[in-house]
Each structure stands twice: as C-alpha cells, then as structure tokens.
Amino acid sequence: GEDVEQSLFLSVREGDSSVINCTYTDSSSTYLYWYKQEPGAGLQLLTYIFSNMDMKQDQRLTVLLNKKDKHLSLRIADTQTGDSAIYFCAESLSNDYKLSFGAGTTVTVRA
Amino acid sequence: NAGVTQTPKFQVLKTGQSMTLQCAQDMNHNSMYWYRQDPGMGLRLIYYSASEGTTDKGEVPNGYNVSRLNKREFSLRLESAAPSQTSVYFCATDGAYEQYFGPGTRLTVT
C-alpha cells in the first residue's frame, strides 16, 4: 500500500532557501506531486515530477527525486512571506490516478 | 469557468443529523473525488467516481455515502453525523496530471 511521510513543521527566514522533504514507500509510483495550501483555501498544484526523472526546476522551485531511497524534496529559493503555507507531498500509482498524500509540512516564513 | 465548486462553505450539525455536501465541476472531467482533511493527517480519500454512474470506496468510507448525479456533480452524504466526522471536506476532479480541488466545506459536528 501507499505511505507518504513528511516532517510537520519548517521555519525559515525570509530570503533563505526552504527544503521540504518527503519519503514514500510504493516503488510503482508514476507521478509525485507537491501541492500548496494557503490558510482557508483548497490545494493548489505547485509542481510534479515523473518517476523516471531525477530533477525538475520551475522558477524558484526545484524538485529532486531519489528513486533508490524513495525520497522527494522541494526546494524554494529566496523564500518570501507569501510562501507561508502547508505543503503536501503526494504520489499516484501506475494503475490509477488516486493520490496518496503526506500529512503536510507547515512552512512559516519569519522576517 | 468556476472549476470546482462546493456548497456549503461552513456547516454545524448536531450528532445524529444528516446532510449532503454538494460538489460540481465545469471542467468536463470524468473522475471526481471526496477527501477529508484532519490536522496532522493530510488528506484521506473517502470515495471516488471514475466516471458517471460508478463510485468506489476510498480509504475512509464508513459513515458516508455518495452519488454521482451526472458528469458534473458528485455529492457526499452523512446519514447520521458523529463528532468524529468534524473535518474539512474537499472535492476534487482529475485533469491529465493534476487534481483540481474545490475550496472546501468546514463541518463541525457537536
């Protein structure tokens, strides 16, 4: 079965880089996702990576995938106060598109 | 083009009451999902519908029923609400590589 784990909290200074980590257990995952949830809102897709890729960069976001260790990370460069939110890691499997989510990492950006 | 809409936004129920959460999408997607979000537990899948006319249980279906009324609408019903069902409920629909989420319904059962 699927099991996605993340640390629950991260505090970072404005302007620094944030790194959010995630581990997953199912080796048949095809897509891995990072979603962002701002207070009182639904989830918004930030980025995703195919399981046959090692890295994906999109402006301030860098996703690294280590398939051997089943480890996914999201790096946010030059973190801003607007980046304060809950970040969810999620995986989907090859035979369906249901997502399995981690518990979410609450990122707090301090001045 | 509203995407995914949910009603109501907030609801307070007494134990034993029933209610239906509504979800509609205008994205012409086949798949729709209901999740609940609880602190420290992420999102857990309650039910999903791969296409009009089909529904399947997810991870936490007990105490809920669903109806896929047509391609646009997927409702979630609580027949006899319990305090353990206090949560935030999200509806979602599937794009090619992305699930699109509604704004959520915050439900409190006292």
Side-chain angles (χ1 to χ4, degrees):
Chain A
E2 309 92 322
D3 193 5
V4 180
E5 295 190 354
Q6 308 174 234
S7 54
L8 291 183
F9 301 100
L10 176 67
S11 179
V12 62
R13 193 175 305 172
E14 189 175 10
D16 287 353
S17 292
S18 310
V19 179
I20 308 167
N21 294 301
C22 170
T23 58
Y24 60 97
T25 56
D26 202 310
S27 58
S28 60
S29 296
T30 52
Y31 303 110
L32 294 137
Y33 301 85
W34 285 104
Y35 279 85
K36 177 183 181 183
Q37 184 183 34
E38 296 183 359
L43 275 70
Q44 177 187 10
L45 180 68
L46 276 182
T47 187
Y48 64 90
I49 188 168
F50 296 119
S51 59
N52 62 357
M53 296 169 65
D54 297 322
M55 181 180 119
K56 181 178 180 181
Q57 187 151 4
D58 183 2
Q59 299 182 336
R60 292 191 298 124
L61 305 178
T62 302
V63 178
L64 294 178
L65 176 60
N66 181 328
K67 288 184 285 295
K68 175 175 168 291
D69 295 336
K70 298 190 183 68
H71 182 265
L72 182 74
S73 67
L74 174 69
R75 178 177 180 268
I76 305 172
D78 187 24
T79 310
Q80 303 298 308
T81 54
D83 295 323
S84 291
I86 304 176
Y87 291 81
F88 291 94
C89 171
E91 64 172 349
S92 69
L93 303 180
S94 58
N95 57 352
D96 66 46
Y97 289 100
K98 297 196 297 293
L99 296 182
S100 180
F101 285 87
T105 300
T106 299
V107 173
T108 304
V109 181
R110 60 187 192 278
Chain B
N1 194 351
V4 182
T5 57
Q6 294 183 234
T7 56
K9 286 190 167 49
F10 300 95
Q11 184 71 51
V12 179
L13 292 178
K14 290 185 171 18
T15 297
Q17 287 185 315
S18 61
M19 79 161 294
T20 300
L21 282 65
Q22 307 286 354
C23 173
Q25 52 105 358
D26 61 5
M27 308 175 87
N28 203 33
H29 291 159
N30 287 319
S31 298
M32 297 185 75
Y33 306 81
W34 275 106
Y35 294 91
R36 60 177 288 172
Q37 182 183 21
D38 301 292
M41 300 188 74
L43 276 74
R44 292 181 292 168
L45 184 64
I46 305 171
Y47 270 93
Y48 67 102
S49 170
S51 62
E52 186 179 350
T54 68
T55 61
D56 286 287
K57 294 178 181 178
E59 184 185 351
V60 288
N62 290 346
Y64 305 96
N65 285 302
V66 289
S67 295
R68 183 73 183 268
L69 304 169
N70 47 55
K71 192 171 186 179
R72 288 188 66 248
E73 298 170 290
F74 188 37
S75 62
L76 178 72
R77 182 158 178 84
L78 286 70
E79 289 290 352
S80 178
S84 61
Q85 294 178 303
T86 293
S87 188
V88 182
Y89 291 85
F90 288 101
C91 177
T93 182
D94 233 13
Y97 304 115
E98 177 178 358
Q99 285 194 7
Y100 297 86
F101 286 81
T105 295
R106 282 149 185 80
L107 176 67
T108 302
V109 183
T110 61

Coordinates of all heavy atoms in Angstrom, one line a residue, chain A residues 23-76:
Chain A
T23 N 9.2 11.2 2.1 CA 9.6 9.8 1.7 C 8.3 9.1 1.4 O 7.2 9.3 1.9 CB 10.3 9.1 2.8 OG1 9.5 9.1 4.0 CG2 11.6 9.8 3.1
Y24 N 8.4 8.1 0.4 CA 7.2 7.3 0.0 C 7.7 5.9 0.0 O 8.9 5.6 -0.1 CB 6.7 7.8 -1.3 CG 7.7 7.7 -2.4 CD1 7.7 6.7 -3.3 CD2 8.6 8.7 -2.6 CE1 8.6 6.6 -4.4 CE2 9.5 8.7 -3.7 CZ 9.5 7.6 -4.6 OH 10.4 7.5 -5.6
T25 N 6.7 5.0 0.0 CA 7.1 3.6 0.1 C 6.8 2.8 -1.1 O 7.4 1.7 -1.3 CB 6.4 2.9 1.3 OG1 5.0 3.1 1.1 CG2 6.8 3.5 2.6
D26 N 5.9 3.3 -2.0 CA 5.5 2.4 -3.1 C 6.4 2.6 -4.3 O 6.4 3.7 -4.9 CB 4.0 2.7 -3.5 CG 3.4 1.6 -4.2 OD1 4.0 1.1 -5.2 OD2 2.3 1.1 -3.8
S27 N 7.1 1.6 -4.7 CA 8.1 1.8 -5.8 C 7.4 1.9 -7.2 O 8.1 2.2 -8.2 CB 9.1 0.6 -5.8 OG 8.4 -0.6 -5.9
S28 N 6.1 1.6 -7.2 CA 5.4 1.7 -8.5 C 4.8 3.0 -8.8 O 4.1 3.2 -9.7 CB 4.4 0.6 -8.6 OG 3.4 0.8 -7.6
S29 N 5.1 4.0 -7.9 CA 4.6 5.4 -8.1 C 5.1 5.9 -9.5 O 6.2 5.7 -9.9 CB 5.2 6.3 -7.1 OG 4.8 6.0 -5.8
T30 N 4.1 6.5 -10.2 CA 4.5 7.0 -11.5 C 4.7 8.6 -11.5 O 5.5 9.1 -12.1 CB 3.4 6.7 -12.5 OG1 2.1 7.1 -12.0 CG2 3.3 5.2 -12.8
Y31 N 3.8 9.3 -10.7 CA 3.9 10.7 -10.6 C 4.0 11.1 -9.1 O 3.4 10.5 -8.3 CB 2.7 11.4 -11.2 CG 2.4 11.1 -12.6 CD1 1.3 10.3 -13.0 CD2 3.2 11.6 -13.6 CE1 1.1 10.0 -14.3 CE2 3.0 11.3 -14.9 CZ 1.9 10.5 -15.3 OH 1.6 10.2 -16.6
L32 N 4.9 12.1 -8.8 CA 5.0 12.6 -7.5 C 4.7 14.1 -7.5 O 5.2 14.8 -8.5 CB 6.4 12.3 -6.9 CG 6.5 10.8 -6.7 CD1 7.9 10.3 -7.2 CD2 6.3 10.4 -5.3
Y33 N 4.0 14.6 -6.6 CA 3.4 15.9 -6.7 C 3.8 16.7 -5.4 O 4.0 16.2 -4.3 CB 1.9 15.9 -6.7 CG 1.3 15.1 -7.9 CD1 1.1 13.7 -7.8 CD2 0.9 15.8 -9.0 CE1 0.6 13.0 -8.9 CE2 0.3 15.1 -10.1 CZ 0.2 13.7 -10.0 OH -0.4 13.0 -11.0
W34 N 3.8 18.0 -5.6 CA 3.8 19.0 -4.5 C 2.7 19.9 -4.6 O 2.5 20.6 -5.6 CB 5.1 19.8 -4.4 CG 6.3 19.0 -3.9 CD1 7.3 18.5 -4.6 CD2 6.6 18.6 -2.6 NE1 8.2 17.8 -3.8 CE2 7.8 17.9 -2.5 CE3 5.9 18.8 -1.3 CZ2 8.3 17.4 -1.4 CZ3 6.4 18.3 -0.2 CH2 7.7 17.6 -0.2
Y35 N 1.8 19.9 -3.6 CA 0.7 20.8 -3.5 C 0.9 21.8 -2.4 O 1.5 21.6 -1.4 CB -0.6 20.1 -3.2 CG -1.3 19.4 -4.4 CD1 -0.8 18.1 -4.8 CD2 -2.3 20.0 -5.1 CE1 -1.4 17.5 -5.9 CE2 -2.9 19.4 -6.2 CZ -2.4 18.1 -6.6 OH -3.0 17.5 -7.6
K36 N 0.3 23.0 -2.6 CA 0.4 24.1 -1.6 C -1.0 24.4 -1.1 O -1.9 24.5 -2.0 CB 1.0 25.3 -2.2 CG 1.1 26.6 -1.3 CD 1.7 27.8 -2.1 CE 1.8 29.0 -1.2 NZ 2.3 30.2 -1.9
Q37 N -1.2 24.6 0.2 CA -2.5 25.0 0.7 C -2.3 26.2 1.6 O -1.6 26.2 2.6 CB -3.1 23.9 1.6 CG -4.5 24.2 2.1 CD -5.1 23.2 2.9 OE1 -4.4 22.5 3.7 NE2 -6.4 23.0 2.9
E38 N -2.9 27.3 1.1 CA -2.9 28.6 1.9 C -4.0 28.5 2.9 O -5.0 27.8 2.7 CB -2.9 29.8 1.0 CG -1.7 29.9 0.1 CD -1.6 31.1 -0.8 OE1 -2.6 31.9 -0.7 OE2 -0.6 31.2 -1.5
P39 N -3.9 29.3 4.0 CA -5.0 29.3 5.0 C -6.4 29.4 4.5 O -6.6 30.4 3.7 CB -4.6 30.4 6.0 CG -3.1 30.6 5.8 CD -2.8 30.3 4.3
G40 N -7.3 28.5 4.8 CA -8.7 28.6 4.4 C -9.0 28.3 3.0 O -10.1 28.5 2.5
A41 N -8.0 27.8 2.3 CA -8.2 27.5 0.9 C -8.0 26.0 0.5 O -7.6 25.2 1.4 CB -7.2 28.3 0.1
G42 N -8.3 25.7 -0.7 CA -8.1 24.3 -1.2 C -6.6 24.1 -1.6 O -5.8 25.0 -1.3
L43 N -6.3 23.0 -2.1 CA -5.0 22.7 -2.5 C -4.7 23.1 -4.0 O -5.6 23.0 -4.8 CB -4.7 21.1 -2.4 CG -4.3 20.6 -1.1 CD1 -5.5 20.7 -0.1 CD2 -3.8 19.2 -1.2
Q44 N -3.5 23.6 -4.2 CA -3.1 24.1 -5.5 C -1.9 23.4 -5.9 O -0.9 23.3 -5.1 CB -2.9 25.6 -5.4 CG -2.4 26.2 -6.7 CD -2.0 27.7 -6.5 OE1 -1.9 28.2 -5.4 NE2 -1.8 28.4 -7.6
L45 N -1.8 22.8 -7.1 CA -0.7 22.1 -7.6 C 0.5 23.1 -7.8 O 0.3 24.1 -8.5 CB -1.0 21.3 -8.9 CG 0.2 20.6 -9.4 CD1 0.5 19.4 -8.5 CD2 -0.1 20.1 -10.8
L46 N 1.6 22.8 -7.2 CA 2.8 23.6 -7.4 C 3.6 23.0 -8.5 O 4.1 23.7 -9.4 CB 3.7 23.6 -6.1 CG 3.4 24.5 -5.0 CD1 4.4 24.4 -3.9 CD2 3.4 26.0 -5.5
T47 N 3.9 21.7 -8.5 CA 4.7 21.1 -9.5 C 4.6 19.6 -9.3 O 4.1 19.1 -8.3 CB 6.2 21.5 -9.3 OG1 7.0 21.0 -10.4 CG2 6.8 21.0 -8.0
Y48 N 5.0 18.9 -10.4 CA 5.0 17.4 -10.3 C 6.2 16.9 -11.0 O 6.8 17.6 -11.8 CB 3.7 16.8 -10.8 CG 3.5 17.1 -12.3 CD1 4.0 16.2 -13.3 CD2 2.8 18.2 -12.8 CE1 3.8 16.4 -14.6 CE2 2.6 18.4 -14.1 CZ 3.1 17.6 -15.0 OH 2.9 17.8 -16.4
I49 N 6.6 15.7 -10.8 CA 7.7 15.1 -11.5 C 7.4 13.6 -11.8 O 6.7 12.9 -11.1 CB 9.0 15.1 -10.6 CG1 10.2 14.7 -11.3 CG2 8.8 14.3 -9.3 CD1 11.5 15.0 -10.6
F50 N 7.8 13.2 -13.0 CA 7.6 11.8 -13.4 C 8.6 11.0 -12.7 O 9.7 11.4 -12.4 CB 7.8 11.6 -14.9 CG 6.7 12.4 -15.7 CD1 7.1 13.4 -16.6 CD2 5.4 12.1 -15.6 CE1 6.1 14.0 -17.3 CE2 4.4 12.7 -16.3 CZ 4.8 13.7 -17.2
S51 N 8.3 9.7 -12.4 CA 9.2 8.9 -11.6 C 10.5 8.5 -12.4 O 11.4 8.0 -11.8 CB 8.5 7.6 -11.2 OG 8.0 6.9 -12.3
N52 N 10.5 8.8 -13.7 CA 11.8 8.5 -14.4 C 12.7 9.7 -14.5 O 13.6 9.7 -15.3 CB 11.4 7.9 -15.8 CG 10.7 9.0 -16.7 OD1 10.3 10.0 -16.2 ND2 10.4 8.6 -17.9
M53 N 12.3 10.8 -13.8 CA 13.2 12.0 -13.8 C 13.9 12.1 -12.4 O 13.4 11.5 -11.4 CB 12.3 13.2 -14.0 CG 11.6 13.3 -15.3 SD 10.4 14.6 -15.4 CE 11.4 16.0 -15.2
D54 N 15.0 12.8 -12.4 CA 15.8 13.0 -11.2 C 15.5 14.4 -10.6 O 15.7 14.6 -9.4 CB 17.3 12.8 -11.4 CG 17.6 11.4 -11.8 OD1 17.0 10.5 -11.3 OD2 18.5 11.3 -12.7
M55 N 15.3 15.3 -11.5 CA 15.2 16.7 -11.1 C 14.3 17.5 -12.0 O 14.2 17.2 -13.2 CB 16.6 17.3 -11.1 CG 16.6 18.8 -10.6 SD 18.3 19.5 -10.7 CE 18.1 20.8 -11.8
K56 N 13.6 18.4 -11.4 CA 12.8 19.4 -12.2 C 12.9 20.7 -11.6 O 12.8 20.9 -10.4 CB 11.3 18.9 -12.3 CG 10.4 19.8 -13.1 CD 9.0 19.2 -13.1 CE 8.1 20.1 -13.9 NZ 6.7 19.6 -14.0
Q57 N 13.1 21.7 -12.5 CA 13.2 23.1 -12.0 C 12.1 24.0 -12.6 O 11.9 23.9 -13.8 CB 14.6 23.7 -12.2 CG 14.8 25.0 -11.6 CD 16.3 25.3 -11.3 OE1 17.2 24.5 -11.6 NE2 16.6 26.4 -10.6
D58 N 11.5 24.8 -11.8 CA 10.5 25.7 -12.3 C 10.6 27.0 -11.5 O 10.1 27.1 -10.4 CB 9.1 25.1 -12.1 CG 8.0 25.9 -12.7 OD1 8.3 27.0 -13.3 OD2 6.8 25.5 -12.6
Q59 N 11.3 28.0 -12.1 CA 11.5 29.3 -11.5 C 12.1 29.1 -10.1 O 13.2 28.6 -10.0 CB 10.2 30.1 -11.4 CG 9.6 30.3 -12.8 CD 8.3 31.1 -12.7 OE1 7.6 31.2 -11.8 NE2 8.0 31.8 -13.8
R60 N 11.5 29.4 -9.0 CA 12.1 29.3 -7.7 C 12.0 27.9 -7.1 O 12.6 27.7 -6.0 CB 11.5 30.3 -6.7 CG 11.7 31.8 -7.0 CD 11.3 32.7 -5.8 NE 9.9 32.6 -5.6 CZ 9.3 32.3 -4.4 NH1 10.1 32.0 -3.4 NH2 8.0 32.3 -4.2
L61 N 11.3 27.0 -7.8 CA 11.1 25.7 -7.2 C 12.0 24.7 -7.9 O 12.2 24.7 -9.1 CB 9.7 25.3 -7.5 CG 8.6 26.2 -7.0 CD1 7.2 25.6 -7.4 CD2 8.7 26.4 -5.5
T62 N 12.6 23.8 -7.1 CA 13.5 22.7 -7.6 C 13.0 21.4 -6.9 O 12.9 21.4 -5.6 CB 15.0 22.9 -7.3 OG1 15.4 24.1 -7.9 CG2 15.8 21.8 -7.9
V63 N 12.6 20.4 -7.7 CA 12.2 19.1 -7.1 C 13.4 18.1 -7.4 O 13.9 18.1 -8.5 CB 10.9 18.6 -7.8 CG1 10.5 17.3 -7.2 CG2 9.8 19.6 -7.5
L64 N 13.8 17.4 -6.4 CA 14.7 16.4 -6.5 C 14.1 15.0 -6.1 O 13.4 14.9 -5.1 CB 16.0 16.6 -5.6 CG 16.8 17.9 -5.9 CD1 17.9 18.0 -4.9 CD2 17.4 17.8 -7.3
L65 N 14.4 14.0 -7.0 CA 13.8 12.7 -6.7 C 14.9 11.7 -6.6 O 15.7 11.6 -7.6 CB 12.8 12.3 -7.8 CG 12.2 10.9 -7.8 CD1 11.5 10.7 -6.5 CD2 11.3 10.6 -9.0
N66 N 15.0 11.0 -5.5 CA 16.0 9.9 -5.4 C 15.2 8.6 -5.3 O 14.6 8.3 -4.3 CB 16.8 10.1 -4.1 CG 17.8 9.0 -3.8 OD1 17.6 7.8 -4.2 ND2 18.9 9.4 -3.2
K67 N 15.1 7.9 -6.4 CA 14.2 6.7 -6.5 C 14.8 5.6 -5.7 O 14.0 4.8 -5.1 CB 14.1 6.3 -8.0 CG 13.3 7.2 -8.8 CD 13.1 6.7 -10.2 CE 14.3 6.8 -11.0 NZ 14.7 8.3 -11.3
K68 N 16.1 5.5 -5.5 CA 16.7 4.4 -4.8 C 16.2 4.5 -3.3 O 15.8 3.5 -2.7 CB 18.2 4.4 -4.9 CG 18.9 3.4 -4.0 CD 20.4 3.5 -4.3 CE 21.2 2.8 -3.3 NZ 21.2 3.4 -2.0
D69 N 16.2 5.7 -2.8 CA 15.9 5.9 -1.4 C 14.4 6.3 -1.2 O 13.9 6.5 -0.1 CB 16.7 7.0 -0.7 CG 18.2 6.6 -0.7 OD1 18.5 5.4 -0.6 OD2 19.0 7.5 -0.6
K70 N 13.7 6.4 -2.3 CA 12.3 6.8 -2.3 C 12.1 8.1 -1.5 O 11.3 8.3 -0.6 CB 11.4 5.7 -1.7 CG 11.4 4.4 -2.5 CD 10.3 3.5 -2.0 CE 10.3 2.2 -2.7 NZ 11.5 1.3 -2.4
H71 N 12.9 9.1 -1.9 CA 13.0 10.4 -1.3 C 12.7 11.5 -2.3 O 13.3 11.5 -3.4 CB 14.3 10.6 -0.6 CG 14.4 11.8 0.2 ND1 15.0 13.0 -0.4 CD2 14.1 12.2 1.4 CE1 14.9 13.9 0.5 NE2 14.4 13.5 1.6
L72 N 11.8 12.4 -1.9 CA 11.4 13.5 -2.8 C 11.7 14.8 -2.0 O 11.4 14.8 -0.8 CB 10.0 13.4 -3.2 CG 9.4 14.5 -4.1 CD1 9.9 14.3 -5.5 CD2 7.8 14.4 -4.0
S73 N 12.2 15.8 -2.6 CA 12.3 17.1 -1.9 C 11.9 18.2 -2.8 O 11.9 18.2 -4.0 CB 13.8 17.3 -1.4 OG 14.6 17.5 -2.5
L74 N 11.5 19.3 -2.1 CA 11.1 20.5 -2.8 C 11.9 21.6 -2.2 O 11.9 21.9 -0.9 CB 9.6 20.8 -2.5 CG 9.1 22.2 -3.1 CD1 9.1 22.2 -4.6 CD2 7.7 22.5 -2.6
R75 N 12.7 22.3 -3.0 CA 13.5 23.5 -2.6 C 12.8 24.7 -3.1 O 12.5 24.8 -4.3 CB 14.9 23.4 -3.1 CG 15.8 24.6 -2.7 CD 17.2 24.3 -3.1 NE 18.1 25.4 -2.8 CZ 18.3 26.5 -3.6 NH1 17.8 26.5 -4.8 NH2 19.2 27.4 -3.2
I76 N 12.6 25.7 -2.2 CA 12.1 27.0 -2.6 C 13.2 28.0 -2.4 O 13.6 28.2 -1.3 CB 10.8 27.4 -1.8 CG1 9.8 26.3 -1.9 CG2 10.3 28.7 -2.3 CD1 8.6 26.5 -0.9

